Amino acid sequence: MESNYCELTGVIATLEKVALTPAGVPRQRLWLEHRSRQLEDGHPREVQARIAVILAGGMTRQAQSLKEGQRIKVTGCLSRAGYKGDARDRLQLIAQTLDTLNQD
């Protein structure tokens, strides 16, 4: 079986409203902005990324207390954002766990 696991920390840039899928499952998307310093071939490099994080089912209840600007750590798997057009080339993180972090 192939592995697909991602752990990312960052700041909630945008928190969208909960919507229901056609099957009636609550679904919410937030946009996470990540900034860090990473080593690339032994040299420090500033890294920035913005990715959609998808919360589904019970995860949306946990998100009720989240706010834009809040730092979080999220784990889950990566998936493409859709099957047509540009969405085929965009990644999103399907959340399995979400923890709030202390503000630095």
Side-chain angles (χ1 to χ4, degrees):
M1 184 162 138
E2 299 293 323
S3 179
N4 182 348
Y5 175 82
C6 182
E7 177 180 293
L8 200 58
T9 60
V11 174
I12 299 172
T14 306
L15 188 58
E16 298 181 3
K17 293 181 180 178
V18 176
L20 294 178
T21 67
V25 176
R27 183 180 181 279
Q28 185 172 20
R29 178 169 60 184
L30 63 87
W31 289 90
L32 185 69
E33 288 187 352
H34 167 88
R35 292 181 179 180
S36 65
R37 181 177 287 248
Q38 302 293 321
L39 287 179
E40 183 177 284
D41 195 27
H43 301 283
R45 176 174 186 242
E46 294 294 322
V47 175
Q48 296 183 24
R50 181 178 168 106
I51 189 167
V53 176
I54 306 301
L55 310 173
M59 294 285 296
T60 59
R61 282 190 299 280
Q62 182 181 357
Q64 290 177 352
S65 64
L66 297 177
K67 295 175 181 55
E68 291 179 3
Q70 190 170 21
R71 291 188 67 240
I72 62 170
K73 177 174 98 173
V74 63
T75 66
C77 63
L78 295 174
S79 175
R80 64 182 171 186
Y83 296 94
K84 298 179 181 177
D86 292 338
R88 291 179 303 191
D89 298 325
R90 286 194 317 265
L91 291 178
Q92 61 187 8
L93 196 154
I94 309 299
Q96 295 168 340
T97 68
L98 187 148
D99 297 303
T100 57
L101 300 174
N102 293 332
Q103 302 292 80
D104 291 335

